[in-house]
Amino acid sequence: MRGVRTVRGWFRETTGGLPATFWYLWTGTLINRLGSFVVIFLAIYLTQERGFSELQAGLVLGLWGAGGAVGTTAGGVLTDRWGRKPTLITAHVGAAGMMLALGFARPLWAVAAGALLLGLFAEAARPAFGAMMIDVVPERDRLRAFSLNYWAVNLGFASAAVLAGFAAEVDYLLLFVVDAATTLATALVIFVKVRETRQHGVARAGGAGVPRGALRTILTDRVYLGFVALNLLSALVFLQHISMLPIAMGEDGLSTSTYGSVIALNGVLIVFGQLFVPRLIRGRSRSHVLALASVVMGVGFGLTAFAGVAWFYALTVLIWTLGEMLSSPSNSTLIAELSPAEMRGRYQGVFSLSWQLAGATAPILGGLVRQEAGNVALWLGCAAIGGVMAAAHLLSGPARERRAVALRQPVVEPATVLVPPVPQAAEAAATAPAEPTPAR
């Protein structure tokens, strides 16, 4: 009984007290990820089912990333100006339509155009989703909220990876149809259950609302851009698991269902372990956690150079997944704390842009390195990037934390405070301040 009470207490500590809007967003994430079939098997679909070369497949995946780069930038602007909810719904409905179009596309140019537009719509949702999460979850609860959402992402991913492997052996078109259906279901949940969370007229230094030249402000924020650059390096390594890893496993004679089962271990480990990560890293230096995560991820991908059988590939996936589990919550809370309230959509968009740039270049660079220098060079290069990232996190961490502390301080402009009319009888008392004005 004591063990049961302990589990119940842990469960309440992990999930209790979060707002209803968070849980609707969480449910939408789970539904969407349960059907995220296409991105997992697109490289295999293009090379084995459609007969495209590795270079052509890399080009299509790169266009997906290029479309995502445009989408996440536009999505960030729309999130701040138009609103979180309309941006999310439009992005999901557009992505569902383009998912079906890509499934029925046959010529290379049509497949390339479909991938470009799908990337645009699918990734336009990211800034709105991230901003809405920050809007509704108090700062004290964000670490566990982001961990719970990441848990849902990977529960869906683990299930989708296994199911997609078997669905692909029946008919590849089924992957696109199911993915489109779950994307529409997510849009429906948001439409029915989620209210707009954007705050109008957020007070800030110099005025209210979204400032003019907001994007220029971000582009001169060297602390934040340094963090984004490190995420770009991480994403270049991480995304090899959906571009070059399936090709490497295929050359070793392993089937699509084997790849699906191996890569599903990523989601399975996160599902069983991610909810314990917040307690493990709480109170620890985020720069140290991110440095350790970079080393672990680099080691995992580096060992892929020596893999040739399913169990060895599975081992490498388990290792780099541990690094992913450590980095994700710290990344999410840092983005939230480094984003001014009135520009959350844009800051989320710029961070997501690093993923899209990686999505556009990772398959091309991976294919080029693999073609020119070989499979071993590709994976050992990933290990080297992990070491560079670890050192950079240790060096840049203190500046990030100072910026986060500075942004937590509320800024109130006297010019924006409206004083109600004072009755004449009390005018003399009202004009004598009860407390001295604090120095600024």
Side-chain angles (χ1 to χ4, degrees), residues 258-326:
T258 300
Y259 167 71
S261 299
V262 167
I263 204 64
L265 292 174
N266 168 259
V268 170
L269 180 58
I270 291 173
V271 166
F272 283 102
Q274 188 66 41
L275 296 182
F276 298 96
V277 170
R279 179 176 292 184
L280 178 66
I281 66 176
R282 186 181 300 146
R284 301 183 185 275
S285 166
R286 281 186 289 204
S287 59
H288 291 174
V289 171
L290 289 170
L292 176 61
S294 300
V295 170
V296 174
M297 188 173 69
V299 169
F301 278 99
L303 286 174
T304 310
F306 310 104
V309 293
W311 71 265
F312 203 145
Y313 278 113
L315 176 63
T316 66
V317 170
L318 291 176
I319 293 173
W320 57 253
T321 297
L322 291 174
E324 181 189 358
M325 290 169 65
L326 290 172

Side-chain angles (χ1 to χ4, degrees), residues 44-262:
I44 296 176
Y45 167 73
L46 294 172
T47 54
Q48 296 187 10
E49 176 73 8
R50 302 301 310 282
F52 295 144
S53 67
E54 290 185 16
L55 182 59
Q56 289 172 325
L59 175 63
V60 171
L61 290 170
L63 286 172
W64 180 315
V70 176
T72 196
T73 303
V77 175
L78 290 173
T79 295
D80 286 337
R81 293 192 175 277
W82 190 22
R84 281 68 155 138
K85 182 174 179 176
T87 302
L88 273 174
I89 293 174
T90 302
H92 283 310
V93 172
M98 294 315 305
M99 194 80 67
L100 291 175
L102 180 60
F104 286 103
R106 288 296 172 264
L108 177 60
W109 69 265
V111 172
L116 178 72
L117 292 173
L118 176 58
L120 188 153
F121 280 107
E123 300 306 325
R126 286 185 182 272
F129 184 88
M132 187 171 276
M133 285 275 287
I134 299 170
D135 290 343
V136 302
V137 179
E139 182 182 334
R140 67 180 182 276
D141 295 325
R142 284 175 186 161
L143 180 62
R144 60 193 181 99
F146 282 117
S147 293
L148 283 165
N149 188 69
Y150 192 61
W151 183 84
V153 167
N154 285 277
L155 175 61
F157 177 81
S159 303
V162 175
L163 294 174
F166 293 107
E169 294 181 355
V170 176
D171 188 348
Y172 272 99
L173 182 60
L174 189 59
L175 302 180
F176 296 89
V177 173
V178 173
D179 208 332
T182 54
T183 303
L184 281 177
T186 301
L188 182 62
V189 169
I190 294 169
F191 178 76
V192 174
K193 291 295 186 179
V194 176
R195 295 181 179 181
E196 176 58 57
T197 63
R198 180 170 64 106
Q199 298 178 9
H200 298 275
V202 178
R204 64 176 188 88
V210 179
R212 294 183 180 274
L215 188 57
R216 184 168 61 251
T217 300
I218 299 173
L219 295 178
T220 57
D221 188 341
R222 286 185 285 184
V223 171
Y224 188 73
L225 290 182
F227 179 56
V228 171
L230 287 177
N231 189 71
L232 174 60
L233 286 177
S234 177
L236 285 172
V237 172
F238 180 75
L239 291 178
Q240 299 303 323
H241 82 279
I242 60 172
S243 56
M244 293 301 109
L245 181 59
I247 294 174
M249 292 182 66
E251 288 187 354
D252 284 330
L254 301 173
S255 67
T256 56
S257 59
T258 300
Y259 167 71
S261 299
V262 167

